[in-house]
């Protein structure tokens, strides 16, 4: 049979994570890391899923009630596309590190959907792929905003705001940047589940909604200023906004020791701005480094973390 490969993009959130779950704007961009998937026919009589890098191997249970948490999210795809009865093998190659705030789960969902789309010639549109990946994200963490699957699908920098009501379309605006924005991603190595940090923020918000809504509004306002700064290529201003955003995320208590160390290292070595990216609680940071990019990356590595130099736009 023919080998079909398909991919979903990893992403960073430059401004607006967590607040985006409550209806604020957020800015996200793809990074040159992707999850790839391949679908092949077999004679095994079931859907077999392999993720060699993670040592994951399972036969998808036909009855959703019997699936464990790992199977549940991706199982949605096979149910929805009515492929649960097929005999196939799906192999996944995740180049996006797991649970590092880089949108790995959404990228995986998109890659698997695209692999099935190509293999079975389903002719799915990007909108359909995105909508299905969103349903997987909702299973993975209850109140997903939809930003991860949107960037994983379209692979472009964008401004995002979730729909006011369930069933309505979110606001998605592609961002055209005058020039590339040079960043360093610092990866803490501490795995953290977005569902957990999103849940923590929700509990805190429920105790004092007025106070937390105020923080979300500030994040919303600085995100919109950030879009202006990006479009004008005013990186000093963008850096300030990233630093303030990190302070507010810290107020939401989604930072960690490792994240704080990474942010301090980046700023100390010349980053104009540095903040956690994605769910937090560990995971990754993003630093804006028009100068000293190599210095920042080297300092992060010297401290025992991983660093990646990427451009967005
Ligand atoms: O940790 P990631 O890469 O899944 O990013 C999550 C972003 C949040 O705003 C925290 C949650 C969401 O659904 O938008």
């Amino acid at each position: 049979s023919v080998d079909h490969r398909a991919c979903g993009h990893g992403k960073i959130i430059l401004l607006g994570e967590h607040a985006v779950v409550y209806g604020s704007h957020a800015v996200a961009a793809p990074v040159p890391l992707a999850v790839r998937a391949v679908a092949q026919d077999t004679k095994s009589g079931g859907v077999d899923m392999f993720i060699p890098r993670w040592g994951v191997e399972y036969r998808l249970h036909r009855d959703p009630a019997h699936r464990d948490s790992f199977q549940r999210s991706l199982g949605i795809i096979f149910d929805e596309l009515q492929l649960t009865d097929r005999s196939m093998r799906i192999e996944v190659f995740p180049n996006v590190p797991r649970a590092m705030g880089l949108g790995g789960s959404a990228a995986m969902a998109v890659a698997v959907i695209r692999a099935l789309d190509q293999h079975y010639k389903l002719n799915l549109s990007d909108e359909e792929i995105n909508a299905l990946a969103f349903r997987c994200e909702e299973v993975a963490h209850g109140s997903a905003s939809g930003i991860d699957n949107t960037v994983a699908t379209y692979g472009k920098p964008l401004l995002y705001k979730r729909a006011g009501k369930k069933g309505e379309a979110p606001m998605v605006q592609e961002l055209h940047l005058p020039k590339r924005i040079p960043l360093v991603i610092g990866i803490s190595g501490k795995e953290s589940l977005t569902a957990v940090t999103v849940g923590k923020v929700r509990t805190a918000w429920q105790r004092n909604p007025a106070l937390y809504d105020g923080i979300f509004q500030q994040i919303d306002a600085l995100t919109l200023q950030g879009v202006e700064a990006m479009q004008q290529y005013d990186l000093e201003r963008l850096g300030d906004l990233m630093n303030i955003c990190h302070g507010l995320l810290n107020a939401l208590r989604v930072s960690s020791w490792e994240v704080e160390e990474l942010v301090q290292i980046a700023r100390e070595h010349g980053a104009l701005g540095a903040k956690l990216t994605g769910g937090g609680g560990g995971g990754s940071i993003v630093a804006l480094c028009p100068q000293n990019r190599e210095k920042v990356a080297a300092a992060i590595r010297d401290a025992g973390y991983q660093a990646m130099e990427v451009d967005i736009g």
Side-chain angles (χ1 to χ4, degrees), residues 20-103:
V20 69
V21 173
Y22 297 82
S24 298
H25 290 85
V27 172
V31 292
L33 292 175
V35 177
R36 283 174 199 290
V38 188
Q40 282 172 305
D41 293 325
T42 60
K43 293 194 166 58
S44 72
V47 175
D48 294 308
M49 191 92 188
F50 291 87
I51 313 175
R53 180 176 283 189
W54 296 352
V56 170
E57 221 183 287
Y58 65 78
R59 162 78 49 101
L60 184 72
H61 211 290
R62 285 199 186 148
D63 180 356
H66 287 96
R67 291 176 191 157
D68 65 19
S69 62
F70 205 89
Q71 298 195 19
R72 220 170 288 143
S73 161
L74 291 178
I76 299 264
I77 297 169
F78 299 89
D79 293 339
E80 190 67 24
L81 301 177
Q82 299 179 353
L83 295 170
T84 322
D85 294 335
R86 297 295 173 107
S87 184
M88 71 168 104
R89 171 193 170 91
I90 306 275
E91 199 161 351
V92 182
F93 306 93
N95 265 320
V96 182
R98 171 163 58 172
M100 285 301 144
L102 299 174

Side-chain angles (χ1 to χ4, degrees), residues 181-202:
I181 297 181
L183 303 172
V184 172
I185 296 174
I187 303 178
S188 75
K190 184 182 178 203
E191 290 195 0
S192 172
L193 292 177
T194 301
V196 173
T197 55
V198 168
K200 268 177 68 177
V201 173
R202 180 156 304 265

Side-chain angles (χ1 to χ4, degrees), residues 94-302:
N95 265 320
V96 182
R98 171 163 58 172
M100 285 301 144
L102 299 174
S105 64
M108 181 167 305
V110 169
V112 169
I113 297 165
R114 288 207 163 121
L116 295 169
D117 177 52
Q118 289 177 15
H119 188 66
Y120 293 107
K121 303 195 172 42
L122 304 173
N123 266 319
L124 298 175
S125 65
D126 279 349
E127 285 71 24
E128 289 169 317
I129 292 168
N130 190 26
L132 188 47
F134 179 54
R135 293 199 41 212
C136 300
E137 286 285 280
E138 280 186 312
V139 170
H141 64 104
S143 39
S145 68
I147 191 167
D148 280 16
N149 47 277
T150 305
V151 185
T153 304
Y154 295 99
K156 292 190 173 132
L158 44 91
L159 176 66
Y160 183 91
K161 186 180 192 300
R162 77 182 303 170
K165 293 198 195 89
K166 215 175 155 63
E168 280 177 8
M171 191 284 299
V172 182
Q173 188 189 319
E174 188 183 339
L175 292 177
H176 299 280
L177 308 177
K179 271 195 290 177
R180 286 161 179 267
I181 297 181
L183 303 172
V184 172
I185 296 174
I187 303 178
S188 75
K190 184 182 178 203
E191 290 195 0
S192 172
L193 292 177
T194 301
V196 173
T197 55
V198 168
K200 268 177 68 177
V201 173
R202 180 156 304 265
T203 306
W205 172 74
Q206 279 163 344
R207 278 198 211 116
N208 196 341
L211 187 73
Y212 282 85
D213 282 338
I215 297 176
F216 300 146
Q217 274 161 24
Q218 290 202 23
I219 295 179
D220 190 43
L222 70 81
T223 299
L224 292 174
Q225 284 195 33
V227 171
E228 249 176 56
M230 288 167 85
Q231 285 165 342
Q232 294 162 356
Y233 209 71
D234 183 347
L235 298 190
E236 296 263 348
R237 185 169 171 219
L238 180 60
D240 275 348
L241 293 165
M242 288 169 67
N243 288 328
I244 297 167
C245 187
H246 182 71
L248 293 169
L249 288 165
N250 205 333
L252 297 177
R253 277 158 296 152
V254 293
S255 191
S256 75
W257 278 92
E258 300 80 359
V259 164
E260 289 308 307
E261 186 177 15
L262 283 165
V263 164
Q264 293 307 329
I265 293 171
R267 289 179 188 160
E268 192 71 29
H269 290 83
L272 290 183
K275 62 178 278 292
L276 73 82
T277 185
S284 304
I285 68 135
V286 57
L288 178 61
C289 306
Q291 294 111 26
N292 305 316
R293 177 148 82 163
E294 280 161 31
K295 221 169 114 185
V296 170
I300 287 175
R301 290 185 191 115
D302 283 349

